Structure formats: C-alpha cells, structure tokens
Amino acid sequence: MSATGQIFVLSGPPGAGKSTVGAMVRQNLPDLAYSVSFTTRAPRPGERDGVDYHFVDRQAFIQRLERGDILEHVEIFGNMYGTSAQVIDQTIGQGVDLFLDTDVNGGKALRGHYPQGVFIFIVPPSRAELERRLRQRGTETEDNIRLRLARVGYELAAAQDYTHLVINDDLNKAAAQVEAIITTDRLRTERQLTRIKREWGL
Amino acid sequence: MSATGQIFVLSGPPGAGKSTVGAMVRQNLPDLAYSVSFTTRAPRPGERDGVDYHFVDRQAFIQRLERGDILEHVEIFGNMYGTSAQVIDQTIGQGVDLFLDTDVNGGKALRGHYPQGVFIFIVPPSRAELERRLRQRGTETEDNIRLRLARVGYELAAAQDYTHLVINDDLNKAAAQVEAIITTDRLRTERQLTRIKREWGL
C-alpha cells in the first residue's frame, strides 16, 4: 500500500475559468501543494528562488527540456516557464497532494506522465456564455473571439481524455465540485486503509 | 453513452452510524431515489403500497427470493424485508440515482449484482469510540458489546471490497464526505458528456 500523494490537474479551454476556480480551490484546501515552476525570467523584488519559482538561465532551462524533465512549458514575453516532473515527483513522493491548473496541451502532457492522476476538465456552460465572457474581458479582438468560438467543439473533444468534467455555470459551485473530486479521491479505500490501520493500531 | 442512473450503497459495521449519516445524505440530496423494499409486514395506518413498501404475503416474498430478485433480506419480529433487483433496475433504468444503506452482508450481495456501483464503507473513528457509542445506546448487553468489539478486525477487512472508506469521527463531516463521493461520480466525464452535448447542442 503506497502513501504517495495524488496529482490533481485542472484544465480546460480559454475562458472556462480554470485560473479563477483553481485559485478558489487552493484557498479552500490549503494543504494542497502546487508545483513550483522553472522560469528564465529574472526574480522580481521579494520573490524567492525555490518558493515562487526555480529561477534558472536559458541554458539550464533548455537542458531540463532536452532531458524530458519539463513536461509542459510556455513562453511569455521571451521568458520560458515550465513544469518539472522532478518537482512533482518529489512532492507526491512525500505523500503530499499536488494541484495544478494548465492549458489543454499541458493537461495532455501531464496525463501521459501521470496516468494515475485525477484530471478535471472545466468548460463554460454554453457557447453563448463563453462568447459573453470573452467579450466582457475587453482584451480579445473580434477575430480572436470568433476563432475561440469556432474551436469549442475541438476543445470539448479533449474532455474525453479527462476523468471528470465540471461545467462552470457558477464559480462557487464549480470550485465546490472540484473540491468534492479531490475529497473523493482521498476517500478511496486504498488511500484510507493506510490511514485507518495506523489509527486503529491494526 | 448510457444515461443510466448510478447506485450508491452505504454500508458498515453496527455502530458506525450508517443509518444516521444515510438519513442526512437523503435530506441534503433529495433527488436521490431510495429503494422501496418488499415486506411481509401488514401496512400501518397511512402507509401506501409501492411508496413506503411493496406489501406482499409470505408466499409472494418467497417466490421473489427463489427467483433471485431479492438481493438482501432480513427478518424482524417474524416479518421479512427485502431489497428487489427489479425495483433497483427500474429506478436506475430511468436515469435516476439510487442511494441505500445496508449491513455488510447486504453490501456484499449488492456488490455482486451491481459491480459498476459506488460502494461506501463507513467506520467509527476508533475501537474506543465504537465501544463508547455501543454503551451509550443503553440497549446492548455486555456480551454483545464484547462480541462487536471482537469482530472489528473482521468487519474492517470487508472495507477492502468497497470503493470508498469514510471514517465517521463527526456526523456532519461524514455526511459531507458521502455527498462529495456522490457528486464526484456525477462529474465523471462519461456521465457529464451526455449532459453537456445536449446542452451545447453538439
């Protein structure tokens, strides 16, 4: 019986609300660890290496990428940000549950590496609601909005590879549903028996 | 993709609190159906056939038992009470989720018949707490209390056949955990995709 922590991944198309819901879940379940990413960006005042990010130069980032440690990465304003398998393995190896939200490509990469994980796909309640949200942001061009709406079917198809699907028609409800999924995984008999046998002295 | 309802079974050793927790879950999730049992007991004033129980004579009950429709049964004061596979099949066949609590033998019979179901085992938090609860009832003999405590290891072993294990150290928390398990099953991608494809017109 293993006392390894679980990996919970929240993913979904842009506009589904995964970052907002993810932040709510982290606040409500503070015992969840998050994955400290590697980045080539310079630390900002107050940021600590190994806490906010693992700060590395471009050379070191590329080396991690080449040896397959960086499971997913994005480039923002010329800086690289990446999720490290080594960081995740260390965390769950200590029996700590890890939660992260990522885009659909990141979710796919993580699924390949952690098939035992819990993968939650979050979607907005309807095409009309997605369109409303994208317009409300005020930062999306008309072309971009049309592109994203046209991609809805494609992005929804990705849900089939996830273990759970949350329909975000209300932020509090969606966060509660993600929390229920996490709670339920912790109640799996295999995980619980380790705990109860210790507590009952069996 | 099936729109069949799910069967949720709450079971555990005597004194674990399954009836109390079960009643709380039913109150909090009123859309859960329960299984209307067959009984040979005469209807009490106000009880309706097919609602409170299916009232049958001893002969009809035995016939159901013989043809394997009664999955679990108990005899109380000479009256038979039984759970019918036909009743369960009709309910979940209509896409309705069904919840029932039963003893360990009943749980085993239901697992054999509904391997796709969600089976939740509930236990008290410790031997000491179980002993305290049994004594508090005031209805158990000293021999019965000793017997039940001696059976704890045997009864806990039964948990291994269940999908989830809830440790009842607080009634509200235990009920919330059972509800989380039910919510999570409803969020399985397979179940949700049926719903979202309808709602999104895909």
Side-chain angles (χ1 to χ4, degrees):
Chain A
M1 210 159 303
S2 152
T4 306
Q6 180 60 285
I7 175 167
F8 299 97
V9 177
L10 181 65
S11 191
K18 62 179 173 297
S19 304
T20 311
V21 170
M24 292 166 81
V25 170
R26 280 200 188 84
Q27 188 159 32
N28 292 337
L29 299 176
D31 59 333
L32 287 175
Y34 59 96
S35 163
V36 178
S37 298
F38 280 84
T39 184
T40 60
R41 172 166 76 62
R44 291 175 188 148
E47 283 187 339
R48 286 168 298 169
D49 186 37
V51 177
D52 299 292
Y53 286 97
H54 297 287
F55 295 101
V56 290
D57 60 22
R58 211 161 175 89
Q59 186 69 19
F61 192 94
I62 291 166
Q63 280 169 5
R64 282 193 175 266
L65 203 55
E66 281 173 344
R67 69 166 193 260
D69 181 52
I70 301 294
L71 299 176
E72 55 152 354
H73 68 284
V74 288
E75 184 165 354
I76 302 173
F77 298 127
N79 296 310
M80 311 295 291
Y81 297 79
T83 304
S84 154
Q86 194 185 323
V87 169
I88 294 176
D89 292 345
Q90 272 171 5
T91 305
I92 63 177
Q94 289 161 0
V96 176
D97 288 342
L98 189 141
F99 176 79
L100 51 86
D101 55 87
T102 182
D103 63 17
V104 173
N105 288 329
K108 190 171 182 175
L110 287 160
R111 259 189 345 267
H113 210 79
Y114 299 100
Q116 82 286 5
V118 174
F119 290 87
I120 307 162
F121 203 72
I122 185 165
V123 291
S126 65
R127 269 176 217 252
E129 176 61 16
L130 175 59
E131 186 171 352
R132 198 189 64 76
R133 288 183 195 178
L134 290 170
R135 291 195 189 283
Q136 199 177 39
R137 283 187 183 179
T139 57
E140 308 287 333
T141 63
E142 185 60 31
D143 271 359
N144 210 5
I145 290 172
R146 285 179 59 197
L147 177 70
R148 287 191 170 180
L149 289 173
R151 283 168 55 87
V152 158
Y154 167 78
E155 281 163 341
L156 195 59
Q160 289 182 325
D161 298 322
Y162 286 69
T163 54
H164 299 84
L165 176 54
V166 167
I167 298 166
N168 183 13
D169 51 12
D170 175 278
L171 280 173
N172 285 313
K173 189 178 138 204
Q177 289 184 339
V178 172
E179 286 159 35
I181 293 167
I182 294 168
T183 297
T184 298
D185 189 79
R186 292 171 165 181
L187 296 170
R188 278 189 297 114
T189 300
E190 191 191 339
R191 294 196 75 177
Q192 282 281 71
L193 272 180
T194 311
R195 180 182 152 201
I196 195 171
K197 283 188 174 166
R198 194 173 54 225
E199 290 185 5
W200 287 52
L202 292 173
Chain B
M1 210 159 301
S2 153
T4 306
Q6 179 61 285
I7 174 168
F8 299 97
V9 177
L10 181 65
S11 190
K18 62 179 173 297
S19 304
T20 311
V21 170
M24 292 166 80
V25 170
R26 279 198 188 83
Q27 189 158 31
N28 293 336
L29 299 177
D31 59 333
L32 288 174
Y34 58 96
S35 162
V36 178
S37 298
F38 280 84
T39 184
T40 61
R41 171 166 75 63
R44 292 174 187 149
E47 283 185 339
R48 286 167 298 169
D49 185 36
V51 177
D52 299 293
Y53 287 98
H54 296 286
F55 295 101
V56 291
D57 61 22
R58 210 164 176 88
Q59 187 70 20
F61 192 95
I62 291 166
Q63 279 169 4
R64 284 194 173 265
L65 203 54
E66 282 173 343
R67 70 167 193 261
D69 181 53
I70 301 292
L71 298 177
E72 54 150 354
H73 69 283
V74 288
E75 182 164 356
I76 302 172
F77 299 125
N79 297 310
M80 310 295 292
Y81 297 79
T83 303
S84 154
Q86 193 184 325
V87 169
I88 293 176
D89 291 345
Q90 272 169 5
T91 304
I92 62 176
Q94 289 160 359
V96 176
D97 288 341
L98 189 141
F99 177 80
L100 50 85
D101 55 87
T102 180
D103 64 17
V104 174
N105 289 329
K108 190 171 181 174
L110 287 160
R111 257 188 347 265
H113 210 78
Y114 300 100
Q116 81 287 7
V118 173
F119 290 87
I120 307 162
F121 203 73
I122 186 167
V123 292
S126 66
R127 269 177 216 254
E129 176 61 18
L130 175 61
E131 185 171 354
R132 197 190 64 75
R133 288 184 196 177
L134 290 170
R135 289 194 191 284
Q136 200 176 38
R137 283 187 184 179
T139 57
E140 308 287 334
T141 64
E142 185 61 31
D143 272 359
N144 211 5
I145 290 172
R146 285 178 58 197
L147 177 68
R148 288 190 170 183
L149 289 173
R151 284 169 53 89
V152 158
Y154 166 78
E155 280 163 343
L156 195 60
Q160 289 182 324
D161 298 322
Y162 286 70
T163 54
H164 299 85
L165 175 54
V166 167
I167 299 166
N168 183 12
D169 50 12
D170 175 277
L171 280 173
N172 285 313
K173 188 178 137 203
Q177 289 184 340
V178 172
E179 286 158 37
I181 293 167
I182 293 168
T183 296
T184 297
D185 189 78
R186 292 171 164 182
L187 295 170
R188 278 190 298 114
T189 299
E190 191 191 338
R191 295 196 76 178
Q192 282 279 71
L193 273 180
T194 312
R195 180 181 151 201
I196 194 170
K197 284 187 174 168
R198 193 173 55 225
E199 291 186 5
W200 288 54
L202 293 172

